[in-house]
Amino acid sequence: MTAAPSGPAFSVHDIPFSTYGSWFDISPVIAEKTYAEDLHLVSHQNGMHGVLRLVPLNPTTSGRAETRVEATPGLLSWIGESGRLDLAYESPDTVRLRGSGLGIGVFAAAQALTPFSGTYFFHDPAAGAHVFTSYETGRRYRVTVLAGTLAEAAGAQALGSADRGLAVTEEAGGGWEIAVEELDTARPPYAPSAAFDEIVASAQGAFADFVDAVAPWRSSATPAAELAAYVVWSATVRPTGLVTRPAVLMSKHWMDKVWSWDHCFNALALAPGCPELSLDQFALPFDHQDDSGALPDSVTHSEVLYNFVKPPIHGWAFGHLRRRLPAPPDRAQLAHFYGQLERWTNFWLTARRAPGAELPYYQHGNDSGWDNATTFDRERVVVTADLAAFLVLQLRELADLADELGEAEAARRWTAVAEETQTALLDQLWTGERFVARGAAGGDTWSSASLLDLMPIVLGEHLPGEISSALADHIKAHLTPYGLATELTTSPHYLADGYWRGPIWAPATVLVEDGLRRAGHHRLADDVSARFRALCETHGFAENFDALTGTGLRDRAYTWTASSYLLLAEAHAHRGSR
């Protein structure tokens, strides 16, 4: 009844238990910052919905049993004084559960059923199983008893408000086992594909293969590498709905989307070991590129949002991606990505430049990815230095791609636009000491205590030395023992849990570290990397972190944080081996 653990142990309060390809997880987190007493089957189709409540039952009283929960990548267990329950993924849409000494209750999370919401429950005689059908996810959840005794089934065919679900207990001298499937309308009656222990071993093996692919360099010096890989692996979903290819969601908590800059960091981390999956991550938002050339703000199972965009870091990302792939993209792939990057760049050069202006603007802080950064306190429609810097790198990448494709005239044109844009950036937004932002309409300029104002360091080797040195000095002031605060901790606008007004974020860390290193500030880049890696090794892979305590904030299982750790840890491991 026991299975040897494999892979890192983790708390399901921080990281959902799931598997590669699945659209559901097992977790107590059922909504933003909402933790249930019991673990739930939580689906991410049509949004995030806690569908089924999984309750360990005392065999004597039939009431809820007190247990502790343990999780490793292949096995989730509830352990109580009188017995245990185990859960493992048989496939992305099916979990198996077994128990001994404890029973299991599988109940609808929503008690109310209306003509438009809730969960209906019934026994399906054709399948010999009980079925929950959810309005919220638009899917069915079929429970088949494989061994044990069906102790209770409540609320079958009930309408309105009712308790709905079933309880299973062990037979005399034996345990029990059930299967829970997420399906569309119908499929043949469930039949086991393997014994439970074989399923656990298969899941453990699948994860082991993944971590060996993405982090073959790991060692005791990179102790969080396996857990980072699990966060990425378990948040990957198969193509369904509007998700056109295998996708790494930002989380299988409530941040269950692919945002159009977050995906770049996942693509980079995956590139050496999982090149096809890496290219899928980079390409996914481009599958929804609109007629203007803009990328969507985000993509998920059932919606694509265009109300904002995200910054054009894709030229920077694709340049790194090409160098990290084990085999370079072929000519057809290069031409394909070149065309998409060209359209994305032209969006910024046309739809986001005022008449006669040389620099583009954001329409809101959300466009920058730094939603509420203090750079945007004075105005929201703003010409910023980070945007111009990212665009310069994208223009330079287009020039390189055009040159590789034999388009010499296009290469010269993109190079000229890159140089013109960088000249305008330095002439119009550099004061001699720092970069400022400028209102797109009125032309007023201002500075802030936000790290966003220092992001032109991403230009690296393209910056004049005196400017990169000045930026490096300003960046040092943002360093806390845990990493780069996004707002100076001495600022009157600093907030410990202020989103982009103080907390440490992974993407800013990776971009700054890369720019510093390419500009020759290796010691400072090493320091930025070391502090962030130590932060993740101590506090996990949260969406962001308190800059003064290191505490993880918001969504606690964020893939771009895990991927950023993998990127920095890999680079550190390779530098250490030279």
Side-chain angles (χ1 to χ4, degrees):
M1 192 57 210
T2 60
S6 177
F10 58 91
S11 168
V12 291
H13 279 77
D14 292 335
I15 300 171
F17 181 78
S18 191
T19 197
Y20 185 99
S22 180
W23 278 92
F24 68 84
D25 61 82
I26 310 299
S27 171
V29 181
I30 56 175
E32 182 175 357
K33 301 179 182 179
T34 303
Y35 291 78
E37 183 179 21
D38 293 305
L39 299 188
H40 282 58
L41 185 153
V42 181
S43 177
H44 298 274
Q45 299 197 64
N46 292 317
M48 179 187 185
H49 305 286
V51 181
L52 301 179
R53 185 164 52 94
L54 306 176
V55 185
L57 299 178
N58 185 305
T60 302
T61 66
S62 299
R64 184 179 186 276
E66 291 300 319
T67 59
R68 73 178 187 274
V69 175
E70 297 182 354
T72 60
L75 182 67
L76 175 69
S77 300
W78 293 255
I79 301 172
E81 290 185 2
S82 62
R84 64 182 285 154
L85 318 179
D86 293 321
L87 181 151
Y89 276 83
E90 181 175 10
S91 70
D93 64 15
T94 302
V95 290
R96 291 261 290 277
L97 295 94
R98 70 178 180 182
S100 176
L102 294 172
I104 183 72
V106 182
F107 305 112
Q111 187 176 58
L113 175 65
T114 78
F116 305 104
S117 65
T119 304
Y120 175 60
F121 178 59
F122 62 97
H123 181 263
D124 183 0
H130 287 80
V131 178
F132 299 84
T133 178
S134 167
Y135 275 100
E136 282 71 26
T137 70
R139 300 299 182 275
R140 297 163 188 250
Y141 301 85
R142 189 169 72 182
V143 182
T144 303
V145 178
L146 306 177
T149 301
L150 179 62
E152 178 187 3
Q157 302 187 47
L159 304 177
S161 183
D163 292 323
R164 298 173 175 85
L166 66 154
V168 179
T169 60
E170 61 187 354
E171 298 170 335
W176 57 262
E177 188 168 345
I178 64 174
V180 182
E181 304 164 87
E182 183 178 56
L183 52 93
D184 293 340
T185 303
R187 64 173 57 161
Y190 174 80
S193 65
F196 190 93
D197 288 338
E198 292 173 331
I199 289 170
V200 174
S202 177
Q204 291 170 343
F207 172 68
D209 290 345
F210 181 84
V211 73
D212 283 344
V214 301
W217 39 261
R218 67 193 186 280
S219 71
S220 59
T222 55
E226 287 196 3
L227 189 57
Y230 176 74
V231 170
V232 175
W233 179 78
S234 64
T236 304
V237 295
R238 64 190 184 279
T240 303
L242 296 169
V243 174
T244 49
R245 37 182 98 225
V248 180
L249 303 179
M250 289 313 105
S251 175
K252 279 185 181 169
H253 287 325
W254 59 87
M255 299 294 281
D256 56 353
K257 297 184 178 184
V258 176
W259 275 269
S260 292
W261 71 309
D262 310 43
H263 70 111
C264 291
F265 300 90
N266 289 332
L268 290 172
L270 291 166
C274 301
E276 291 185 10
L277 184 61
S278 168
L279 288 171
D280 280 333
Q281 301 325 295
F282 186 80
L284 177 58
F286 286 95
D287 291 346
H288 299 278
Q289 194 168 21
D290 74 9
D291 290 342
S292 73
L295 296 183
D297 185 31
S298 62
V299 178
T300 192
H301 171 268
S302 53
E303 68 175 17
V304 180
L305 299 182
Y306 291 93
N307 51 327
F308 295 105
V309 294
K310 285 293 175 277
I313 70 165
H314 302 82
W316 168 86
F318 192 64
H320 281 294
L321 183 62
R322 289 198 290 149
R323 290 185 288 274
R324 288 178 58 76
L325 290 168
D330 61 29
R331 181 179 176 82
Q333 288 176 308
L334 286 181
H336 175 74
F337 285 116
Y338 173 79
Q340 293 179 323
L341 282 171
E342 179 179 40
R343 293 177 58 214
W344 178 220
T345 303
N346 282 331
F347 162 80
W348 289 99
L349 295 175
T350 55
R352 289 298 183 89
R353 287 201 299 190
E358 296 173 283
L359 297 176
Y361 58 85
Y362 292 129
Q363 293 177 342
H364 186 278
N366 289 1
D367 284 344
S368 74
W370 295 51
D371 308 0
N372 66 335
T374 54
T375 300
F376 302 100
D377 279 1
R378 185 163 172 177
E379 296 181 33
R380 261 60 64 196
V381 184
V382 179
V383 176
T384 64
D386 69 293
L387 173 54
F390 291 139
L391 191 59
V392 167
L393 292 179
Q394 191 152 296
L395 288 160
R396 292 189 183 280
E397 180 63 17
L398 281 172
D400 288 346
L401 289 170
D403 187 59
E404 288 190 40
L405 292 168
E407 302 287 345
E409 179 55 36
R412 286 191 290 270
R413 176 166 52 85
W414 291 126
T415 299
V417 179
E419 292 173 350
E420 291 164 4
T421 304
Q422 180 162 329
T423 297
L425 165 64
L426 300 182
D427 288 348
Q428 298 175 29
L429 300 183
W430 177 250
T431 67
E433 297 181 353
R434 63 182 307 116
F435 284 102
V436 296
R438 188 183 72 222
D444 291 341
T445 62
W446 61 90
S447 62
S448 76
S450 175
L451 183 65
L452 184 64
D453 292 7
L454 309 179
M455 291 308 292
I457 193 65
V458 298
L459 287 169
E461 70 277 18
H462 303 296
L463 280 172
E466 65 276 11
I467 293 180
S468 75
S469 294
L471 290 175
D473 287 340
H474 288 304
I475 287 166
K476 289 176 189 176
H478 284 261
L479 269 177
T480 76
Y482 303 97
L484 290 168
T486 47
E487 178 83 3
L488 285 174
T489 59
T490 56
S491 164
H493 304 295
Y494 173 85
L495 294 171
D497 188 10
Y499 225 48
W500 292 92
R501 302 171 79 90
I504 295 165
W505 285 78
T509 301
V510 170
L511 287 162
V512 168
E513 193 269 355
D514 175 68
L516 287 169
R517 202 170 294 284
R518 289 188 293 107
H521 300 282
H522 296 286
R523 183 173 298 177
L524 181 55
D526 288 344
D527 196 6
V528 169
S529 172
R531 296 188 196 205
F532 185 78
R533 286 183 281 111
L535 173 67
C536 293
E537 288 159 7
T538 303
H539 294 283
F541 305 104
E543 185 179 355
N544 53 59
F545 303 86
D546 186 308
L548 296 178
T549 69
T551 302
L553 302 171
R554 309 295 175 116
D555 193 310
R556 299 296 296 273
Y558 216 75
T559 57
W560 75 352
T561 308
S563 287
S564 294
Y565 175 83
L566 291 170
L567 285 166
L568 295 173
E570 177 192 10
H572 172 69
H574 288 161
R575 282 194 297 273
S577 66
R578 288 199 295 267

